[in-house]
Amino acid sequence: MPAPPRGGARGRRPAPGEDSGRRPARVRDPRGRILTFEGVPGLVERRDEHGETTLVVDPARLTDACFHLRDVEGFRFLSDITAVDFLGWGNRGVAGYYGTLAGRDLNFPGGTGGATGSQGFARVPRPKPKRFAVNYHLLALRDGAPRVRVQVFLDDGQSVATVIPVWPTADWHEREAWDLMGIRFEGHPNLTRILMDDDWEGHPLRKDYPIGGEPVRFSDEV
């Protein structure tokens, strides 16, 4: 509701940083110019999709890129590190049900190939350069609270440098990625498991981790 003339409330205003259009956050430098991230060391690709900005970086230049984003562009807060296993990615078409005026037939789903249920709109996901991706989710603590994702792709067994010297809280995030995905972070001072038992075999969030029957732990103590 509008406030009375000369009132103290000045009417309702949207919350700071609110963006109902889900546009990617646009970072501006002190002169008001929109930053393009072209100065980020090792930048391979920039993607603006689904209201988010992703910077794909050469793994060998990850630390340099992170120092640049922290010190030059103001992304001083690391909110999370997430790892993704793309094993088998792109081997099958992806499709759901495409509704029509005649409805849909659940007996003919758009699964492999997806030519029936999806009315021919099935798509094969774009290929990934390597099996694993490690994503660093960054936040700038200033007006508009812009966010950016830094992404590196890794082969199975390939390591990447720790970013603890940039953001000390990466300690626990990197331990989780090692514990559940088996991604090694070179230079980490204490790369040990953080969720699973120390003697646990394998890394449970890998796509090739065996699922099904699991032996009862500590059965000898019963």
Side-chain angles (χ1 to χ4, degrees), residues 132 154-159 182-184 186 206:
F132 292 100
L154 305 171
D155 285 319
D156 192 4
Q158 182 180 358
S159 61
I183 296 173
R184 182 171 293 278
E186 295 295 335
R206 285 186 170 221

Side-chain angles (χ1 to χ4, degrees), residues 33-78:
R33 175 174 54 89
I34 296 177
L35 295 176
T36 62
F37 299 107
E38 291 178 355
V40 176
L43 182 63
V44 176
E45 178 188 6
R46 170 181 173 163
R47 295 197 306 268
D48 292 291
E49 298 174 326
H50 312 297
E52 301 173 334
T53 298
T54 301
L55 307 178
V56 181
V57 171
D58 178 0
R61 303 293 308 278
L62 173 65
T63 306
D64 296 334
C66 290
F67 272 120
H68 176 91
L69 288 167
R70 186 195 70 178
D71 298 337
V72 177
E73 301 186 5
F75 289 93
R76 299 186 176 276
F77 185 79
L78 171 68

Side-chain angles (χ1 to χ4, degrees), residues 93 95-96 196:
M196 311 304 293

